[in-house]
Structure formats: structure tokens, C-alpha cells
Amino acid sequence: MAELLTPEADEWSDVDEPVAEPSPSARLRVLLFAALAPLVTGYALVATLLALITVSAERARFTVIGVVLSAGPGWLASYQVPVDIGGKPLGVLPLLPTIGLAVLNARTAGGAAQRLGLRSPREAVPVVVVIGFAHATLGVLIALIADGKQVGVNAFTAFAVPGVVAAVAATAGLAKRCGMLEVAAEYLDPLALRGLRAGALGMAALFAAGAVTFTLSLALSWSTVDDLFEPAFGSSLGLFLLSLGYLPNAIVAALSFASGPGFSLGSVTVTPFGFSGGAVPGVPLLGGIPDHHAMWWPVLMLLPLVAGALVGWSVRKIDDDPVARLRTVGVAGAIVGFGCVVLGTLAGGRLGHGPFDPVSVPVGIASVVAFAWIVIPGCFVAFFAGPHSPPAAPSEVMGVETAETDETAEEPETAEATDELEEPEATEESEATEDAEDVDEAETPEVPEAIEKPEEAEEPEEPEEPEADEAPTEPEPAEAVTETTEESDGESTPAPADQDQQPDR
């Protein structure tokens, strides 16, 4: 502390000093915390949710051991691991807990990187490996503890799926801080990178379109939704929490409906152009499913059209070449199609062996249709709303014509300049001879031969002058003679200078 208060320390206080590298023990503590914190927190949240539902439900027996043991399969279900309950498969799992646990893992990884001072992708590898391996280990332990009679879980799935989900979430949390985005940008074409960003925008726009469609369906069927809630508080709370957990799944189904392919729930199939009715579970979340077809449903397809136009509008100024903008929209469409495959796969699954099995979104058709909704209107807007560079061929032709015209115009000028240069030379020689003869007759100083050979020139004799006050004349240099001859081009030979006047110096 004493050193920090010295003047030298105050002088260098504004300079950023490198963060000291943590000791091996401190590094180990940070990695252990990053591995265990999301496990304990996620498991505790699932156990708390189950305890709340059990306590609020009527005629339910609450035991701490039972809640703790039941939280294991619930934790696996939160990571999208299919489970068997009483021999019946449960594959359609809520997406909201998965999103929450992924955010928790991302924030934990980011905090660990900050405490360890990580700056490069290579330094981030241990954090990702520790978090992923910890989740995989807990998943396989839960699968081995399950007896298989009441709850059954595939051990390999329980090992792989939580580990992959946690590792991907941790990588997302470390991407910006550890420079992963910059490294990826070095290996990607700039247009492809802009296409990735436009694809993320398109995916968000389509998800918003699904949310608007789902909200509209609930608003139009609100009376049915209200009737599905039980009068008892505990039952209503359980139904509300169940609906809340499956809310992203319902938005994905609504997105598929607005795009065109639709969705199916057992024997029920709903598309904008057709409807096949049947029994629906008594869950408030599904109260918006209609019981007959309506002619105005295709109007909802304007929502994905707007999403595609938004993508095209976002890339309208990235390049003056329209082809480059179209390539960017194509990359964005591919990203959106892949995203629809992932969301459609996670949103559906098996639901027992009853009349509501399975819950599915036609993933293949939905991805192709989503790609078309982004690319077609996006390319149209990006092409016509952006700048257009002039074609190269006409400009090159004009350049050639201009060059030829300049050369033709320069030829007469060059000839005239040559003639002008030749005429003064001949005039200089003739006039220099005449001037020398006139000077001899008037007894003026002889013009030295320095005009042609300056190195052999001698000083001229002083002319006889009537007045002694006047200064002797001096011969004009060769340059002055040249200037004089040029000015007097075309005129008669000048008379010899008067004796009363001195030559120009």
C-alpha cells in the first residue's frame, strides 16, 4: 500500500497495467465455480418449480426427497433430453427452460473469462470444456440413477445433449470477449459476414411474425382460453406455468402456420389453406387453435413477406453492385432456413401414445418456404432500393474515343509548335548577321561571336561618344538578342542605336 501512495505510483496511475495472471489454485477455483454454478442453480430452479406446483396442487403429497429425485428428469427435460414416463415417450419438451439455462451458462462462462483475464479463443477452450463436461457427467448420472420403471432415460442421450447445449451456450458467452468473432471474420467473405447478420435479423423478424400470429389467435379465442383455467388456484397455477414453459414452442408452430406449411397435433392439422379438426388437450396455451377454417388466414402470409423485405432493406447500401447484394440476401436466406430446421426440430416431438401424438412441424418444407420468404422479397428490395453502378463496357469505349480525339487534336498543335520553333532559329541567324554589319558601319562596338560560342567571346571596344559622362556601351547577351529577334519577327531590320542612348543592360 505504501508503494501505491508514492509520487511515482500517482504519476503512472493513468496507464493501463496488464492484469496479473491468476495462480494455479485461483484458476482451479474459477473453473470449478464455472462448472458447478450452472448445475446447482439450474437443478435448484427445477426443484423449486416442482415443489411450487406440488404444494399448490390439490390432493398432492409433498416430500423433499420426492421433489429432489423428480427434479433430475425435469432437469434433463430442460436440456431437451427425451424421457419415458411410465413407458410413454415424452419428446415435445418446453423451450423456455432451455433458453433460460443456456443464458445462465453463457453468463457464467463470461464471468469466468473476466476473472481469469482471457483474451484469445485458445484460452477460452478450458472454460468451454469444463462446463460442457460437467453437464454431460450430471446427465449420465441422472440417467443411471433412474430405475427405468417410472422414469427412463437413454444414457447416451443424457450424456451428449446437455453437454452439447451447455458447451454451445458457453461458447456464445465467450465469443465477444475472447475474440472469436474477429477470428471468424478473418476467414469469412465480407459479404458472407453481412449475410450472417442479415440472416439473424430475418430469423428474429420471422419469430416476431410467429408471435404476432399466436397473439392474434389467443385474442380471437380469449373466451375459450379463459374457460380452460381451473377454478382452483393450484390447478390454474400449474396450467399457467405449463403454458408459459411451452410458449416458444407455440410461437414456432404459429410461425410455421403464417409461413404456409402449418403444424399438426395428433390428428389435428392446421394450415392457411386447409384444416383438419380433432381433439385438442385442455391447455390454455392451445385455446387459440380454431375449430374450423377461415378464408382470411392467407392474409397472415404478409408477415413473412414483410420479414423478407426488411432483410432486403437492411442490405440495400452495403455495395454498389446489385449482384453482391443479391448474394448477401442468399446467405441470409440460408441462415434462416437452417434456423427453422433447428427450431422446428426442438419445438415438436412425441407426446405419449394417445390421440395427441405426435406434435410436429414439417421441418423440411418449413425450411424451404422460409428460405423463399426471405430471398424472393429480399432480393427484389435489395436490387431496386440500392444504388446501381454504371456498366463498365460503355465507359471503356468512351475512354478509347476520348483518347483518340485528344491525339488527333494534339497533332496540329505539335506541328505548329515545331514551325514556330524553326522560324525563330532562322530569323536569329539572319538578323544576327545584319546587326553585326550595321554596327561595323556606325563604328559601334563589334558584336562578339559569343552568340554562337559564348566561351570565346571578348569584350568589345568602347565606341567613340561625344559626351564623357555617359557610360560605355556593353554588348547584349545572347539571350537578349534572341528575345529581341523573336519580338521583331516579320518586321524590317532595326536601325542602329543612337549614340546618345545606352543599350539595355
Side-chain angles (χ1 to χ4, degrees), residues 27-435:
R27 186 180 183 85
L28 180 60
R29 287 195 300 269
V30 172
L31 292 177
L32 286 177
F33 179 82
L36 298 178
L39 293 179
V40 176
T41 304
Y43 201 95
L45 289 175
V46 174
T48 303
L49 184 62
L50 291 177
L52 180 62
I53 295 175
T54 304
V55 170
S56 60
E58 297 180 355
R59 296 184 301 275
R61 296 179 58 186
F62 173 78
T63 60
V64 177
I65 298 178
V67 170
V68 172
L69 294 177
S70 300
W75 183 85
L76 290 176
S78 299
Y79 278 95
Q80 299 297 310
V81 179
V83 297
D84 292 338
I85 301 177
K88 297 180 180 180
L90 177 60
V92 51
L93 302 170
L95 282 175
L96 187 61
T98 307
I99 297 173
L101 292 176
V103 173
L104 176 62
N105 283 280
R107 292 181 62 86
T108 303
Q114 183 177 4
R115 287 190 291 270
L116 294 175
L118 306 182
R119 288 292 183 271
S120 64
R122 181 175 299 178
E123 295 175 348
V125 173
V127 178
V128 176
V129 172
V130 166
I131 293 177
F133 183 75
H135 282 74
T137 303
L138 181 60
V140 73
L141 288 176
I142 295 174
L144 295 177
I145 293 174
D147 55 6
K149 296 181 180 179
Q150 295 181 353
V151 178
V153 183
N154 183 277
F156 177 78
T157 306
F159 175 83
V161 176
V164 171
V165 173
V168 171
T171 303
L174 296 171
K176 184 177 181 180
R177 182 176 183 83
C178 295
M180 297 181 183
L181 298 179
E182 289 77 6
V183 173
E186 294 178 357
Y187 294 95
L188 290 177
D189 183 74
L191 294 178
L193 187 60
R194 295 189 180 110
L196 291 175
R197 296 172 181 172
L201 175 63
M203 196 70 249
L206 286 180
F207 196 81
V212 171
T213 304
F214 174 74
T215 304
L216 182 61
S217 66
L218 286 183
L220 296 176
S221 306
W222 182 250
S223 59
T224 304
V225 174
D226 186 44
D227 294 340
L228 292 175
F229 282 100
E230 298 290 338
F233 173 77
S235 300
S236 298
L237 179 62
L239 290 173
F240 174 76
L241 294 176
L242 181 65
S243 300
L244 186 63
Y246 281 95
L247 179 61
N249 304 61
I251 293 177
V252 173
L255 165 62
S256 180
F257 172 79
S259 300
F263 63 93
S264 61
L265 179 62
S267 60
V268 178
T269 302
V270 184
T271 66
F273 306 99
F275 176 80
S276 177
V280 178
V283 180
L285 184 70
L286 303 177
I289 297 178
D291 53 0
H292 63 277
H293 181 263
M295 297 297 297
W296 61 269
W297 285 356
V299 178
L300 296 174
M301 301 177 74
L302 292 175
L303 295 175
L305 178 66
V306 173
L310 179 62
V311 171
W313 184 262
S314 66
V315 301
R316 71 190 187 282
K317 295 181 179 180
I318 63 172
D319 200 296
D320 293 340
D321 186 7
V323 178
R325 298 196 296 270
L326 298 183
R327 287 175 52 196
T328 305
V329 175
V331 174
I335 296 299
V336 170
F338 178 76
C340 288
V341 170
V342 175
L343 290 179
T345 303
L346 296 177
R350 298 293 305 276
L351 187 57
H353 296 293
F356 312 124
D357 180 47
V359 178
S360 63
V361 171
V363 175
I365 300 176
S367 62
V368 174
V369 171
F371 175 82
W373 279 121
I374 296 297
V375 170
I376 295 176
C379 288
F380 183 84
V381 174
F383 184 86
F384 290 101
H388 294 266
S389 58
S395 61
E396 294 178 357
V397 174
M398 292 176 62
V400 173
E401 293 178 355
T402 305
E404 293 178 354
T405 305
D406 295 340
E407 293 177 358
T408 306
E410 288 177 357
E411 289 178 358
E413 295 179 358
T414 306
E416 292 176 0
T418 305
D419 297 339
E420 291 178 357
L421 291 176
E422 292 176 354
E423 290 177 359
E425 292 178 359
T427 307
E428 287 176 5
E429 295 177 358
S430 60
E431 290 182 355
T433 306
E434 294 175 358
D435 290 343

